[in-house]
Amino acid sequence: SVRYAVERKFARYTLDARAKLTVDGQEITLRTLDISEGGIGLVSPVEIPDGKSYAVEFVLPAVHGLFRAELEAQNRSGFRYGFQFVALDESNAALLRKYERRWGILSKEN
């Protein structure tokens, strides 16, 4: 099973992609750490400012689809940030499920 922690609501999947985070209209380029149906982990080279609105955009590897979601800040530890998905429309949710299936197949091959 791909679940890293039993108490988590959603399984997390490793994800290393270049992403664009928009905080109140300001763009920050950073990297993704992991993703689940509930949210995303990001690592930023700069401090992410507190904001009223957050959105992330990146190409999901293996499925080559542009993923977009509105976020809510959850936690941080140094330059690692955790965000929860606020609005995930059906096309982005479907893309994420496709990535999770592909990730599951790849992890079984290794």
Side-chain angles (χ1 to χ4, degrees), residues 27-105:
E27 285 182 9
I28 300 169
T29 301
L30 37 64
R31 296 203 75 80
T32 60
L33 284 172
D34 53 33
I35 195 166
S36 76
E37 286 175 52
I40 189 165
L42 302 169
V43 62
S44 177
V46 297
E47 194 163 326
I48 295 174
D50 289 336
K52 289 180 177 65
S53 71
Y54 300 90
V56 71
E57 183 178 297
F58 57 90
V59 174
L60 264 168
V63 296
H64 309 295
L66 184 64
F67 181 89
R68 288 190 177 103
E70 287 177 42
L71 306 172
E72 190 174 89
Q74 282 298 105
N75 56 62
R76 74 169 288 194
S77 174
F79 289 97
R80 297 165 72 109
Y81 293 81
F83 288 90
Q84 192 173 329
F85 295 134
V86 176
L88 194 58
D89 65 28
E90 188 45 47
S91 64
N92 285 294
L95 199 59
L96 181 53
R97 286 192 297 270
K98 189 176 172 186
Y99 175 74
E100 289 175 345
R101 283 196 303 273
R102 185 85 190 99
W103 196 93
I105 292 163

Side-chain angles (χ1 to χ4, degrees), residues 6-24:
V6 181
E7 73 276 5
R8 291 197 174 278
K9 194 172 176 185
F10 301 105
R12 280 187 179 192
Y13 298 86
T14 302
L15 174 65
D16 182 18
R18 196 179 133 135
K20 183 174 75 180
L21 180 73
T22 306
V23 184
D24 297 336

